[in-house]
Amino acid sequence: MNATIYKSIWQAARYAAAVTAGVAVQAAIGFVAGPDLFAFVLVAAVALSVGQWPALGEQGSQVATAAFFAFSVYVSASTTADRAGQLGQIILLVLIGCGLGLAVNLCVAPPLRYRGAEYGLHALAGGIESLLDDMADGLSSGDVDAERAAQWRRSGESAQRAVVQAREGLHTAETSLPFNPRRLLPAHRGHLTFHRYRRTVDALERAVYQLGSLTRSLGRWRETENTYSYKPVLKAYADFALSLRDIAHVIASLDGDSLTEQAREMCSLATKSQEALQKVLAAAEENQLSLSDPTRPYGVLVVEATRLMEEFQNTCDALMDTAEA
């Protein structure tokens, strides 16, 4: 039995196949070579080899276990008919046990774990929101020292780990649907697909990557520049980060029951973020920052901001498309 019926069926099938393979190995070798030491060594070698078959997954070790148990049963039986009957009973008992386990799991009907997909997405967006908020605070005050830049990089790495957790939650939610009778209840019929969450996690994963690149660029800015006389640009960058933080805040409280309203709010906030990005570009131009000089950090920062905006816009568009579908 597993947390989802789908996994229970899959693991039960693997377990039954592994035990059957182990018993079959013993039967094939035992009835030919007999119950002697050479036969046992041969059974062990073949069973351990079959257990490496990738299709059996983590149940592969059961091939050897079943083969050794079958060998002991085979040796204790006195006639060929008894031996065949005993080996058949091993397979039959395993099938009965797997069937009972699946029946119990089906009757218990584990919950549909669609909330797990939401929680993972909330945690990921919450981490992004916190990072953007801290970045906006540091940029607006001109405080981008080495220690703070290192802290941003650590926060970016934490967000990357949150991406993995969000994907695991999404996978668990998706596997909780097949064969689960709860999916037939009216209360759950609106939560039977997860493509909106998958598209959102995909877009946020790319945003996390761009944030990581941005924090590294800001760290290099501090190493490259001897003075911070570019406060208008930093202030515009801080306002841009705040506008993205507001989008992340909405995602961090995303609710499938009010997705349409939240998607519209995010699209409205994305429009404001686009305007904030234009102010960053205008500030860079007004202060005559060299955006094309590869030895200076300004062009990289502007490029990172543009790419980050694209990913947040993709997130908003993905949610809006699925909300209207």
Side-chain angles (χ1 to χ4, degrees):
M1 293 178 63
N2 281 268
T4 66
I5 296 176
Y6 173 81
K7 288 184 178 180
S8 293
I9 292 176
W10 187 236
Q11 292 302 323
R14 282 179 162 179
Y15 182 81
V19 172
T20 302
V23 173
V25 167
Q26 163 56 36
I29 296 175
F31 285 116
V32 173
D36 55 23
L37 180 60
F38 173 75
F40 178 80
V41 173
L42 191 59
V43 166
V46 175
L48 290 172
S49 299
V50 174
Q52 302 302 313
W53 187 25
L56 296 176
E58 58 266 42
Q59 301 297 340
S61 62
Q62 299 299 330
V63 177
T65 301
F68 296 152
F69 183 74
F71 185 85
S72 66
V73 171
Y74 181 87
V75 171
S76 63
S78 57
T79 66
T80 301
D82 287 341
R83 290 168 178 168
Q86 294 283 358
L87 295 180
Q89 287 181 19
I90 295 175
I91 298 176
L92 180 60
L93 288 174
V94 167
L95 293 176
I96 292 174
C98 288
L100 289 174
L102 291 177
V104 171
N105 210 3
L106 185 63
C107 293
V108 172
L112 298 176
R113 301 179 183 274
Y114 56 86
R115 292 298 180 189
E118 288 187 358
Y119 295 152
L121 187 58
H122 292 171
L124 172 57
I128 295 174
E129 178 188 2
S130 178
L131 174 57
L132 287 169
D133 188 66
D134 192 31
M135 288 176 60
D137 179 63
L139 291 170
S140 62
S141 63
D143 180 15
V144 196
D145 57 24
E147 181 178 353
R148 193 154 198 175
Q151 178 183 340
W152 291 344
R153 287 195 295 272
R154 289 192 295 269
S155 297
E157 293 170 356
S158 177
Q160 291 176 357
R161 291 191 292 271
V163 171
V164 176
Q165 295 172 354
R167 290 201 176 280
E168 290 176 351
L170 180 60
H171 176 71
T172 300
E174 288 176 328
T175 56
S176 71
L177 287 176
F179 312 110
N180 195 324
R182 289 179 184 264
R183 68 198 305 270
L184 304 176
L185 298 176
H188 298 303
R189 289 177 182 172
H191 303 280
L192 300 183
T193 59
F194 297 96
H195 59 280
R196 69 183 64 162
Y197 298 111
R198 182 166 295 283
R199 289 186 61 185
T200 303
V201 170
D202 289 343
L204 286 182
E205 181 178 17
R206 295 190 295 268
V208 166
Y209 173 80
Q210 295 301 334
L211 271 174
S213 182
L214 176 57
T215 56
R216 291 190 294 272
S217 298
L218 287 170
R220 287 194 296 269
W221 179 322
R222 182 66 181 90
E223 296 171 358
T224 304
E225 298 303 319
N226 297 321
T227 179
Y228 276 91
S229 57
Y230 312 102
K231 286 196 174 180
V233 178
L234 293 178
K235 182 63 171 63
Y237 226 99
D239 293 339
F240 172 64
L242 283 175
S243 67
L244 295 182
R245 180 207 62 184
D246 293 339
I247 298 176
H249 178 74
V250 177
I251 301 176
S253 58
L254 204 65
D255 187 349
D257 296 330
S258 56
L259 183 61
T260 302
E261 295 78 7
Q262 290 178 312
R264 289 172 181 168
E265 181 183 0
M266 287 175 57
C267 288
S268 176
L269 292 171
T271 301
K272 295 180 180 179
S273 295
Q274 294 282 8
E275 296 172 355
L277 176 60
Q278 293 304 314
K279 291 181 180 179
V280 172
L281 301 177
E285 183 176 354
E286 290 173 4
N287 288 269
Q288 298 181 342
L289 301 185
S290 178
L291 302 182
S292 59
D293 186 352
T295 65
R296 313 302 287 173
Y298 321 121
V300 175
L301 291 173
V302 170
V303 169
E304 299 295 358
T306 303
R307 290 175 176 173
L308 190 59
M309 182 68 248
E310 290 177 355
E311 298 306 340
F312 270 83
Q313 185 67 60
N314 289 338
T315 304
C316 298
D317 293 342
L319 284 174
M320 195 66 196
D321 291 344
T322 56
E324 293 177 347

